């Protein structure tokens, strides 16, 4: 059930072990929110252009968004968000001098959510 979307800057193609991150992320999510690993689904979206603040050279961005059925407390969501950011750091190897701005969020799926 957790629907995980990871948006990342194109400049991180060689410095982001996406598959490794997803395979490590799924058990973390499952354990934290009491679900099963096979229920976790992650998709990655490569962003060709990203701009951070007023930096002329841009900057690299990674945002992890986890959407799941309602019922988790704000504390559990905050715990998962922090754990995701800590995990993410181990899978990013940006080029020298490249700053990566990482963020994460955990949110409830809309009541209209359905799956087959």
């Amino acid at each position: 059930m957790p629907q995980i979307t990871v948006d990342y800057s194109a400049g991180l193609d060689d410095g982001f072990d996406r598959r490794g991150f997803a395979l490590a992320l799924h058990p973390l999510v499952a354990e934290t929110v009491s679900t099963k690993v096979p229920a976790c689904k992650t998709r990655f979206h490569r962003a060709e252009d990203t701009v951070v603040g007023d930096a002329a050279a841009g900057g690299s961005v990674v945002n992890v968004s986890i959407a799941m059925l309602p019922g988790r407390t704000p504390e559990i969501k905050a715990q998962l968000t922090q754990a995701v950011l800590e995990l993410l750091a181990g899978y990013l190897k940006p080029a020298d001098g490249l700053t990566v701005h990482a963020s994460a969020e955990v949110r409830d799926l809309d009541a209209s959510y359905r799956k087959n």
Side-chain angles (χ1 to χ4, degrees):
M1 155 271 314
Q3 300 291 323
I4 305 163
T5 304
V6 182
D7 295 307
Y8 69 97
S9 297
L12 292 173
D13 278 337
D14 294 332
F16 183 16
D17 178 5
R18 295 178 298 280
R19 182 167 185 75
F21 175 65
L23 291 173
L25 178 63
H26 293 173
L28 173 70
V29 171
E31 181 180 324
T32 305
V33 301
S34 300
T35 191
K36 294 181 169 63
V37 170
C40 298
K41 300 159 204 72
T42 298
R43 55 186 191 271
F44 293 88
H45 295 157
R46 181 179 191 251
E48 294 299 323
D49 297 309
T50 55
V51 178
V52 177
D54 60 357
S60 291
V61 176
V62 178
N63 176 264
V64 181
S65 178
I66 302 172
M68 56 190 146
L69 294 172
R72 278 62 179 204
T73 65
E75 293 80 16
I76 290 293
K77 291 178 186 177
Q79 176 186 344
L80 179 56
T81 300
Q82 186 60 43
V84 167
L85 289 174
E86 291 169 7
L87 180 69
L88 179 63
Y91 290 87
L92 289 172
K93 306 287 186 249
D96 288 340
L98 186 64
T99 301
V100 178
H101 301 269
S103 59
E105 71 168 325
V106 177
R107 62 180 174 78
D108 292 340
L109 286 164
D110 188 79
S112 66
Y113 174 78
R114 301 290 185 271
K115 69 176 187 169
N116 285 336

